[in-house]
Amino acid sequence: MKLAVVGATGLVGSEILEVLDEHNFPFDELLLVASERSAGKQMTYKGKEYTIMGLKQAVSEKPDIAIFSAGGSTSLEWAPQFAAVGTIVIDNSSAWRMDPSKKLVVPEINAKDLRIDDRIIANPNCSTIQMVVALNLLKERYGIKRIVVSTYQSVTGTGKAAVDQMMAERAGEPAEMVYPHKIDLNVLPHIDVFQPNGYTKEEMKMINETKKIFGDDTIQVTSTTVRVPTMGGHSESVNVEFHQDFDLEEVKEILRKTPGVILQDDPANNIYPMPLTAHKKDEVFVGRLRRDESQPNTLNMWIVADNLRKGAATNAVQIAKYLVDHSMA
């Protein structure tokens, strides 16, 4: 097993390397890949020195699997080149997610749809992943009619430069502006670029990806995505209308049995999901469960996950592990 991590020097790339170690992912050879300006530099991983290589050299090495976290333009240019030499690409960018010829995979939900000839596999948006993981078995039990989701997304979702901006602002130092406004002590209802319909690209990702992952275009989704000055994870307020009525205790029992979910729903003791406690965890945390008393068959939920983990690195490594376990790679 020859494994490549493309974008190894970035926030998500570093997290991928941590997750590979924690999950004891089986590889014989590891290629750490980054942009040409990083090629030739040294990087230590698990006590071993690696020389970072550029993308052209990495393609020539013909890795079995390449996990990409290097941005959409890089993926559009290089993922097909890796695929052409037989590599399976698992891509964290938005480049391939809505391509009808590519699978959009959350292992707990639809890894079973993967086939041996899938050479480019898309990793969904971080906010979408945690929501659909939490809703998966509830959808099977009650059917989903409509989802209204508002997100509270960590600056880590933008990358290291955004973290640097926030910390500089917090320290009262000059900051290189990644966002159009100050982020510390502020909230920005603006993630990615605005579209002609008034939604942002991030909001449309959640709408379209949810339908594709669940394989159900009848589910109505509306989204408002917001950047908040936190680190450690994304939070979501989710209002979901089911086709059938539900029993709240049964909902809790279903969530306890949902793969990848941890139920934290004890408000009397101030127990509910928070980014602070989700940090560096692979699971999706769900709480604040309550019936929407304004209309029937509708549930309110609070969902939190570490966006660099389940929202990116962990999901990608789980896909890779599925491929290995099912002899597809």
Side-chain angles (χ1 to χ4, degrees):
M1 167 58 61
K2 186 185 290 188
L3 175 68
V5 176
V6 179
T9 58
L11 269 184
V12 175
S14 299
E15 207 72 28
I16 288 168
L17 292 172
E18 281 191 32
V19 174
L20 287 167
D21 185 21
E22 292 172 15
H23 288 233
N24 296 311
F25 187 85
F27 60 81
D28 302 299
E29 187 176 348
L30 179 65
L31 312 178
L32 300 186
V33 187
S35 63
E36 292 302 326
R37 67 177 178 272
S38 296
K41 294 180 180 178
Q42 297 297 302
M43 185 172 173
T44 303
Y45 175 59
K46 295 180 67 175
K48 182 178 176 181
E49 284 290 317
Y50 289 85
T51 300
I52 296 172
M53 64 178 63
L55 285 149
K56 188 174 182 179
Q57 181 185 352
V59 170
S60 71
E61 294 283 343
K62 299 182 179 179
D64 298 290
I65 295 175
I67 302 178
F68 269 55
S69 60
S73 58
T74 298
S75 180
L76 284 171
E77 179 181 357
W78 288 95
Q81 296 185 49
F82 277 87
V85 298
T87 301
I88 299 176
V89 174
I90 302 168
D91 182 48
N92 271 295
S93 80
S94 61
W96 305 99
R97 290 174 186 159
M98 297 313 299
D99 185 325
S101 69
K102 305 294 185 290
K103 305 284 174 56
L104 184 64
V105 176
V106 177
E108 294 90 340
I109 299 173
N110 60 351
K112 61 185 182 298
D113 296 335
L114 289 170
R115 297 293 179 265
I116 194 86
D117 57 347
D118 286 317
R119 294 289 111 180
I120 299 176
I121 301 166
N123 213 44
N125 177 266
C126 46
S127 299
T128 306
I129 289 174
Q130 65 188 69
M131 184 174 75
V132 297
V133 166
L135 291 176
N136 185 34
L137 294 191
L138 295 175
K139 175 186 178 293
E140 291 184 8
R141 174 66 179 86
Y142 305 114
I144 293 177
K145 182 177 180 182
R146 183 171 187 255
I147 300 167
V148 181
V149 53
S150 296
T151 72
Y152 307 72
Q153 295 181 220
S154 164
V155 294
T156 57
T158 310
K160 183 180 182 299
V163 176
D164 291 344
Q165 177 186 331
M166 185 181 77
M167 299 312 289
E169 291 169 347
R170 189 159 295 183
E173 299 170 353
E176 182 177 338
M177 298 296 287
V178 177
Y179 300 120
H181 303 281
K182 181 181 177 183
I183 183 62
D184 192 40
L185 299 177
N186 198 17
V187 167
L188 300 180
H190 176 187
I191 299 180
D192 215 320
V193 297
F194 284 99
Q195 304 296 290
N197 64 357
Y199 286 78
T200 65
K201 191 175 178 182
E202 182 84 356
E203 290 160 353
M204 294 310 300
K205 288 175 191 174
M206 292 198 74
I207 292 166
N208 296 324
E209 291 176 22
T210 298
K211 296 180 180 187
K212 182 172 179 178
I213 293 163
F214 280 145
D216 187 348
D217 286 334
T218 70
I219 298 174
Q220 299 301 300
V221 185
T222 189
S223 172
T224 301
T225 59
V226 180
R227 189 72 67 190
V228 296
T230 60
M231 292 169 60
H234 291 350
S235 305
E236 299 173 347
S237 171
V238 175
N239 178 274
V240 54
E241 181 182 358
F242 298 113
H243 286 291
Q244 301 178 38
D245 198 8
F246 58 87
D247 175 79
L248 203 53
E249 289 306 313
E250 184 182 49
V251 166
K252 292 178 183 180
E253 190 56 34
I254 290 170
L255 287 167
R256 289 188 189 99
K257 294 178 179 177
T258 300
V261 166
I262 292 179
L263 184 65
Q264 292 182 327
D265 191 57
D266 186 6
N269 291 299
N270 299 325
I271 295 173
Y272 31 70
M274 298 182 295
L276 194 66
T277 50
H279 184 51
K280 291 291 185 183
K281 305 289 198 312
D282 290 328
E283 296 82 8
V284 173
F285 299 85
V286 181
R288 293 296 322 278
L289 299 171
R290 61 214 185 274
R291 186 178 289 275
D292 181 345
E293 297 181 349
S294 70
Q295 68 171 14
N297 305 348
T298 305
L299 176 71
N300 284 308
M301 317 169 67
W302 180 250
I303 302 169
V304 178
D306 186 325
N307 53 294
L308 297 182
R309 286 276 174 148
K310 184 54 180 169
T314 300
N315 199 75
V317 171
Q318 286 174 326
I319 293 171
K321 188 69 164 54
Y322 183 92
L323 295 172
V324 171
D325 290 346
H326 291 78
S327 303
M328 295 185 190

